[in-house]
Amino acid sequence: MRALSLFVCCALLTTLSAQTKRPMSYADTDAWKSISGQKISPNAKFLAYGLFPQEGDGNVVIRNLDTGAELYEPAGARPAPPAPDPERETPLPQRTTQITFSNDSRFVAFTTFPNQEELKKKASEQSKGGLVLVDTATMTPQRFTEIKNYQLPAESGILAFLKDNKEKTLTVLRLNGNQQKTIPGVVDYTLSKDGQTLVYATADAVLAMTTTNWEGNPLELLNAKGKYSKLTWDEKQSQLAFLGNDTVYLWDRKPGAARVAVSNSSPGLGAGFKLTEKGTLSFSRDGAHLFFPTALNRPRPKPEDGEKANYDLWHWKDESIQPMQKMRIGADRARNYRAVLHLAENRVLQLANLEVQEITPNENGQYAFGLDDRAYRSITEYDTKYADQYLINTLTGERKLLGKQRSGNYSWSPDGKYGLRFDSKDWLCLNVATGQESNLTAGLNANFYNEDYDAPGKPGAYGAGGWSRDGKYVLLYDRFDVWQNAPDGRQAKNLTDGVGRKRAIQFRIVRPETEERPEGFDPAKPLLLRAESIETRETGFFIDTIDGTAEPRQLIWSNKNFTAPVKAKNADVFLLTQSSFREYPDLTLTNSDMRTFQKVSDANPQIAGFNWGNSELMNFRSNDGQALKAAVYKPEDFNPTKKYPLLIYIYERLSQNVNTFAEPRPTNSINIPIYVSNGYIVLTPDISYRVGYPGDSAMNCVLPAIQKLIEEGYIDETRIGIQGHSWGGYQIAYMVTRTNLFKAAAPGAIVANMFSAYNGIRWGPGIPRQFQYERTQSRIGGTPWQYPLRFIENSPVFRADQVKTPLLMMHNDADDAVPWYQGIEFYLSLRRLNKEVYMFNYNGEPHNLRIRANQKHYSARLKEFFDYNLMSQPKPEWMEKGRSFLEKEPTAPARSSTATEDEDPDELP
């Protein structure tokens, strides 16, 4: 009886505690902070990281890890994420402060941005970024303004920074002596790793000086007017190359001038090619080979005679359609072709040309892999990227065809002896010396391709963990375990001894040490493995050894999400984050034993004042009998005797995010913590697909997941809503034509008509959308001429008359992934049928909202829509009256951006 009383008291206290917390609103997100750019000092005594709010100015925090003392230094307002680049497969990360510790940990330097007040000024009047140098012994800062960039080499006590001003002043600081030297008119510079040699370029010369004695005259490496750039050291810092005046120069770090290494008249440079500065210089690891960029010596197009017409010609034999050519014109004009200088023989060889444009040399510089995609460029419009693969001898230029119409490319082993590729089923390894290619995984009792892949194309690999330093083994992943494979295919061992498969956990190798040029794993040292349960999404760390006989040894295991750690350079201290749905990923310290964890940041203490939420996994079966999972999110003050409104968010598979912290922020989808905090239950079910039937596949997974949750007894069946964007939006549009289960639905950036969408264009990269239906996400599996009924059956517009659910749509007129006429088609169909439908179009915005004011506006309208339909809140004015064009305030057109891919299925909103 006493135990029962204690239980009741504890439960009551928990409830009362939750009741004292308030729901979170979107207004609370402005001050929400994120950590970025974190660095730990080499001696593990100090930590520095950026701490930036979503709106307003941030700080760099420097913490003494021994005493806990902290210094907050203003760092300005973090810039917005960059516009996506259609030429990049992965988007550029959002800029943050660049933090660097000196080798002795005595100093830390970091960059700053203009603050909010500065950003209100005209662009020409805004201040530039800055640099702060902090003495960690005294925690005293020095601030420098108008900084373009800085260098603090890893093995030196020298700091150099270039002013972004009219004088282009370069300042060099001896940190321990606090002595400095300034040099005007500098356009580029570099410090050697040991910091003892500074090389800098002006408009008239390239010079070198020692930082230990800078009172004397600098050494003149070159004296001539020119534009000099790409100052590049070799691995040993014994020689330096740079570009300028259509020449590659080389200096051997000895007294004397730099020599001309390559010029446009050098024998071996390809006919019709010239040197260019639009590319990279790189040395082979041993410094014996220098790779440099060349460009085509193109004549300018001649103007046409007569009246000048402004037109594009769409030719049926074009390698790519005009919009693709337009979006890639910058990259095409800047395209460079790799050539090589063999230093011992002073011999130049053009490696890349119009036939084989992509060249990837190995670390020893003697061979390269090349790709020729000319025959397959038009195929990318409806298939995937293919190329003929070549092995190129960089000493002779000889090319050996390795295979035709292959996807992907080889990756090199660190020693340059082997090339590794995946053929959508197995891993294959090429021995460069013998020309033999061995299948490393055929016959093993495991699959190395993604077994959950359910689109018409070819599945990708689970991945590779890297090579041993001696080149004896490459480490490969199946779904669960790590395999140790000899490159000739004759020996393969399950390195993790099948423990992953037995326990249904995924082992993946992490490398805590940061290396500029990794050389592979030391086989004598233990491997650190991050592990994640695919059943519970718990994570942890294990250690194992190459050639070892023991099973992996567990270090830590918890119902949290651990990130890969980074090791302090000179101490057994690891920096990582641990988080859950309700725990922000603050910075944490541990060591190689991982027995204790010390939280060393507190970015958002205000979370304690909000009714947050909890997450859990739910198992269910699709209508086809497949075992699937869903993440369920409940309010912190959840009461199983109450009836809650249910909101479903869908994309593809999302249950893996159950332990992921979702930052509260406005966007173009629901924010789960905010909705849960305000009394909603949120469900994110996994969806598995049958090729040809994407819409039905969604129905077969989402509806059973909802029904399973309803059976728990706390869901109000009359208050169920659903939201999703892009692919999620399409699936919702399909479902509301076939079920009246939802009281409200909010599909964003939908495809309504697969016929017209098939021949639409993703305006970001300028590519036709055909590939998406034939090979990837839309999963039709063929053309409209092969499967006309599939295109009809999967198109919501043809059943718009069946819709009875109120819809809130968003589709922007600058959508660069899904043409916005798709949204218009569905809107006009529903309007013609007198259905309740609203559609927001944020002028000039792309597929995903980028302007924060628009993100905040739509997030508020989205919540008002669901609150009215599911929470019996008052009907908002915009739903009641709309907004005429006459009421629209005249504004400057919003800046649009370029390509963005469909929303990442692994990203939790």
Side-chain angles (χ1 to χ4, degrees):
M1 186 69 181
R2 174 177 166 80
L4 179 60
S5 298
L6 285 172
F7 173 80
V8 172
C9 288
C10 290
L12 181 61
L13 286 171
T14 301
T15 303
L16 290 173
S17 174
Q19 288 174 350
T20 63
K21 298 181 178 183
R22 68 176 180 87
M24 175 173 256
S25 72
Y26 281 103
D28 295 311
T29 65
D30 290 350
W32 192 270
K33 298 180 181 68
S34 60
I35 290 173
S36 61
Q38 60 267 25
K39 293 287 177 64
I40 189 167
S41 64
N43 66 3
K45 301 288 186 183
F46 299 94
L47 171 68
Y49 58 92
L51 188 62
F52 292 93
Q54 291 180 19
E55 283 196 20
D57 298 327
N59 293 282
V60 167
V61 182
I62 301 167
R63 180 183 176 99
N64 184 316
L65 295 172
D66 287 338
T67 67
E70 292 184 330
L71 174 70
Y72 281 68
E73 275 297 303
R78 189 179 183 188
D85 181 351
E87 294 301 313
R88 293 181 62 89
E89 292 185 4
T90 56
L92 289 167
Q94 185 180 2
R95 284 179 63 200
T96 192
T97 182
Q98 177 191 347
I99 299 173
T100 311
F101 278 95
S102 61
N103 191 47
D104 62 1
S105 304
R106 174 70 188 274
F107 295 90
V108 59
F110 60 88
T111 53
T112 65
F113 305 107
N115 60 30
Q116 283 284 303
E117 286 302 313
E118 284 290 322
L119 294 176
K120 294 175 183 178
K121 300 177 183 178
K122 294 179 182 178
S124 59
E125 298 174 355
Q126 292 175 12
S127 65
K128 305 288 178 33
L131 176 69
V132 179
L133 178 66
V134 175
D135 184 332
T136 58
T138 61
M139 288 292 191
T140 53
Q142 295 181 67
R143 301 188 75 91
F144 307 92
T145 59
E146 296 184 299
I147 302 301
K148 183 177 183 180
N149 54 49
Y150 79 92
Q151 291 183 19
L152 178 55
E155 299 169 10
S156 81
I158 300 293
L159 171 70
F161 55 87
L162 185 60
K163 285 255 187 180
D164 191 8
N165 58 7
K166 186 177 180 181
E167 292 76 23
K168 298 178 180 177
T169 304
L170 177 68
T171 300
V172 190
L173 280 173
R174 293 180 188 144
L175 296 180
N176 291 323
N178 200 25
Q179 299 165 310
Q180 73 176 46
K181 181 180 180 67
T182 57
I183 307 167
V186 175
V187 294
D188 199 6
Y189 69 100
T190 184
L191 280 164
S192 58
K193 283 182 183 177
D194 59 15
Q196 293 185 15
T197 303
L198 170 73
V199 179
Y200 60 95
T202 69
D204 302 307
V206 180
L207 304 106
M209 56 175 271
T210 80
T211 58
T212 54
N213 179 19
W214 58 38
E215 301 306 323
N217 293 325
L219 175 65
E220 198 172 77
L221 306 186
L222 184 66
N223 187 353
K225 288 186 179 295
K227 183 181 177 183
Y228 302 106
S229 63
K230 314 292 183 186
L231 302 166
T232 305
W233 294 100
D234 70 352
E235 185 76 3
K236 297 177 181 178
Q237 310 285 284
S238 60
Q239 53 187 339
L240 178 131
F242 59 93
L243 292 168
N245 298 336
D246 296 324
T247 304
V248 178
Y249 296 94
L250 199 64
W251 179 57
D252 59 6
R253 206 175 176 181
K254 297 176 182 177
R259 68 178 178 87
V260 173
V262 187
S263 70
N264 282 334
S265 60
S266 293
L269 203 65
F273 287 87
K274 62 178 181 178
L275 288 163
T276 179
E277 295 177 6
K278 296 176 180 178
T280 59
L281 284 176
S282 62
F283 286 93
S284 58
R285 191 185 292 274
D286 61 6
H289 314 277
L290 175 65
F291 296 90
F292 61 91
T294 66
L296 288 174
N297 205 352
R298 296 178 187 268
R300 292 195 173 207
K302 294 181 180 179
E304 296 181 9
D305 295 332
E307 185 178 352
K308 295 180 180 178
N310 186 14
Y311 69 95
D312 300 321
L313 174 60
W314 295 48
H315 193 287
W316 70 289
K317 287 191 175 180
D318 284 344
E319 286 184 345
S320 57
I321 64 171
Q322 290 287 316
M324 289 177 70
Q325 295 179 43
K326 180 180 179 181
M327 294 309 302
R328 297 177 181 179
I329 190 66
D332 286 342
R333 284 174 176 161
R335 186 179 300 280
N336 58 81
Y337 301 80
R338 265 186 163 169
V340 64
L341 168 65
H342 300 294
L343 296 172
E345 303 92 355
N346 198 32
R347 186 164 52 87
V348 171
L349 198 61
Q350 182 75 45
L351 299 176
N353 57 23
L354 286 172
E355 290 77 39
V356 179
Q357 295 184 359
E358 291 188 43
I359 298 292
T360 308
N362 61 8
E363 285 283 20
N364 62 32
Q366 296 176 5
Y367 285 93
F369 291 123
L371 297 178
D372 178 3
D373 67 344
R374 290 172 300 156
Y376 316 109
R377 287 174 186 168
S378 62
I379 294 177
T380 60
E381 297 176 8
Y382 53 85
D383 201 334
T384 190
K385 292 181 179 180
Y386 295 108
D388 298 336
Q389 294 177 337
Y390 289 87
L391 177 66
I392 302 169
N393 186 321
T394 69
L395 303 176
T396 65
E398 178 189 1
R399 292 177 183 166
K400 177 183 178 182
L401 179 65
L402 298 174
K404 297 185 72 67
Q405 196 171 348
R406 289 177 173 176
S407 58
N409 196 5
Y410 287 93
S411 62
W412 284 106
S413 61
D415 59 10
K417 295 179 180 179
Y418 302 101
L420 185 70
R421 72 181 180 94
F422 186 73
D423 70 353
S424 78
K425 183 181 178 182
D426 288 305
W427 286 98
L428 300 104
C429 187
L430 176 73
N431 184 317
V432 172
T434 65
Q436 294 294 313
E437 187 172 60
S438 304
N439 192 315
L440 305 188
T441 53
L444 299 180
N445 188 27
N447 293 324
F448 291 81
Y449 58 86
N450 183 354
E451 296 160 297
D452 288 331
Y453 187 78
D454 50 18
K458 296 177 180 179
Y462 283 115
W467 289 77
S468 60
R469 189 164 295 177
D470 56 13
K472 289 176 62 177
Y473 301 108
V474 60
L475 306 181
L476 305 173
Y477 302 142
D478 70 15
R479 186 178 190 184
F480 299 102
D481 288 297
V482 182
W483 290 74
Q484 175 183 314
N485 300 70
D488 60 4
R490 296 180 183 178
Q491 182 183 353
K493 171 193 172 184
N494 190 317
L495 185 141
T496 48
D497 303 289
V499 172
R501 189 166 296 275
K502 292 173 192 173
R503 293 180 52 179
I505 59 177
Q506 271 187 345
F507 285 116
R508 298 297 182 254
I509 296 169
V510 294
R511 303 190 72 170
E513 297 86 0
T514 55
E515 301 175 71
E516 290 184 14
R517 210 164 180 170
E519 296 186 57
F521 300 106
D522 184 344
K525 293 182 179 179
L527 292 171
L528 182 63
L529 305 171
R530 182 184 182 273
E532 180 172 359
S533 168
I534 66 168
E535 294 296 328
T536 66
R537 294 301 167 183
E538 296 171 294
T539 68
F541 294 99
F542 291 66
I543 57 170
D544 208 342
T545 55
I546 293 176
D547 278 337
T549 57
E551 291 187 352
R553 180 167 65 87
Q554 180 176 303
L555 299 176
I556 183 69
W557 189 252
S558 177
N559 192 29
K560 292 186 178 184
N561 181 16
F562 290 100
T563 57
V566 175
K567 183 183 175 298
K569 182 179 178 183
N570 301 322
D572 181 27
V573 176
F574 290 177
L575 178 66
L576 72 159
T577 68
Q578 54 180 340
S579 61
S580 66
F581 174 69
R582 60 177 295 107
E583 180 184 351
Y584 179 81
D586 273 301
L587 300 174
T588 303
L589 295 180
T590 186
N591 59 18
S592 56
D593 291 334
M594 295 193 178
R595 292 175 181 170
T596 59
F597 290 80
Q598 178 191 2
K599 180 179 170 182
V600 288
S601 71
D602 191 9
N604 294 287
Q606 71 272 25
I607 193 172
F610 293 116
N611 176 23
W612 198 259
N614 295 293
S615 62
E616 60 190 49
L617 282 175
M618 179 186 78
N619 295 308
F620 72 98
R621 288 191 176 271
S622 69
N623 285 336
D624 298 330
Q626 184 175 357
L628 295 170
K629 294 183 183 298
V632 181
Y633 302 88
K634 300 175 182 178
E636 187 173 336
D637 57 357
F638 172 73
N639 182 346
T641 65
K642 284 180 59 177
K643 292 285 188 178
Y644 289 86
L646 174 63
L647 195 52
I648 300 100
Y649 176 81
I650 62 170
Y651 194 81
E652 291 185 347
R653 292 179 184 262
L654 294 171
S655 69
Q656 70 274 11
N657 295 313
V658 68
N659 281 334
T660 299
F661 184 86
E663 185 176 52
R665 65 166 52 247
T667 179
N668 38 242
S669 291
I670 65 165
N671 183 268
I672 292 177
I674 289 179
Y675 279 80
V676 171
S677 181
N678 283 272
Y680 287 87
I681 303 291
V682 176
L683 174 71
T684 61
D686 288 346
I687 301 173
S688 177
Y689 298 90
R690 287 186 302 135
V691 172
Y693 307 95
D696 270 351
S697 296
M699 291 275 290
N700 287 338
C701 298
V702 174
L703 297 188
I706 296 171
Q707 185 57 43
K708 178 68 181 294
L709 195 60
I710 288 173
E711 292 171 3
E712 297 293 316
Y714 52 79
I715 298 299
D716 185 342
E717 297 180 50
T718 67
R719 296 190 292 159
I720 299 177
I722 189 168
Q723 196 270 325
H725 188 76
S726 191
W727 181 240
Y730 157 72
Q731 294 170 103
I732 292 169
Y734 178 92
M735 285 192 282
V736 297
T737 68
R738 284 161 171 80
T739 179
N740 299 323
L741 174 67
F742 306 112
K743 183 74 177 296
I750 71 165
V751 165
N753 182 346
M754 287 202 171
F755 276 109
S756 56
Y758 172 83
N759 282 320
I761 291 174
R762 293 177 72 101
W763 289 106
I767 60 177
R769 292 176 50 84
Q770 295 167 346
F771 76 95
Q772 188 160 331
Y773 299 86
E774 296 187 43
R775 291 291 182 181
T776 62
Q777 190 177 58
S778 295
R779 295 176 169 90
I780 294 298
T783 69
W785 309 281
Q786 293 173 288
Y787 302 114
L789 291 181
R790 289 186 185 180
F791 278 81
I792 293 173
E793 291 166 359
N794 285 287
S795 297
V797 73
F798 294 110
R799 287 177 57 94
D801 60 323
Q802 302 298 307
V803 175
K804 295 183 180 179
T805 305
L807 259 64
L808 171 60
M809 299 168 56
M810 184 194 75
H811 215 137
N812 303 321
D813 53 22
D815 194 313
D816 44 11
V818 180
W820 88 299
Y821 58 71
Q822 287 293 316
I824 293 173
E825 284 194 43
F826 204 47
Y827 166 81
L828 289 178
S829 298
L830 294 171
R831 173 183 165 87
R832 171 66 180 82
L833 292 161
N834 202 31
K835 308 287 186 180
E836 183 180 354
V837 60
Y838 315 87
M839 186 171 82
F840 280 97
N841 161 32
Y842 290 90
N843 306 143
E845 282 274 47
H847 187 62
N848 292 306
L849 293 173
R850 292 180 50 78
I851 298 171
R852 186 168 175 85
N854 292 339
Q855 294 171 343
K856 293 170 77 169
H857 183 272
Y858 183 67
S859 293
R861 304 295 87 76
L862 189 61
K863 190 165 184 303
E864 289 171 350
F865 175 73
F866 283 122
D867 283 351
Y868 168 72
N869 284 290
L870 306 183
M871 286 284 200
S872 300
Q873 295 294 314
K875 192 172 190 177
E877 186 177 4
W878 64 268
M879 288 181 67
E880 191 70 55
K881 297 180 180 179
R883 184 200 190 206
S884 71
F885 203 83
L886 281 172
E887 296 174 272
K888 185 175 180 179
E889 296 178 11
T891 58
R895 182 178 60 187
S896 68
S897 53
T898 52
T900 182
E901 294 299 314
D902 278 355
E903 191 174 74
D904 186 347
D906 293 329
E907 192 173 288
L908 191 68

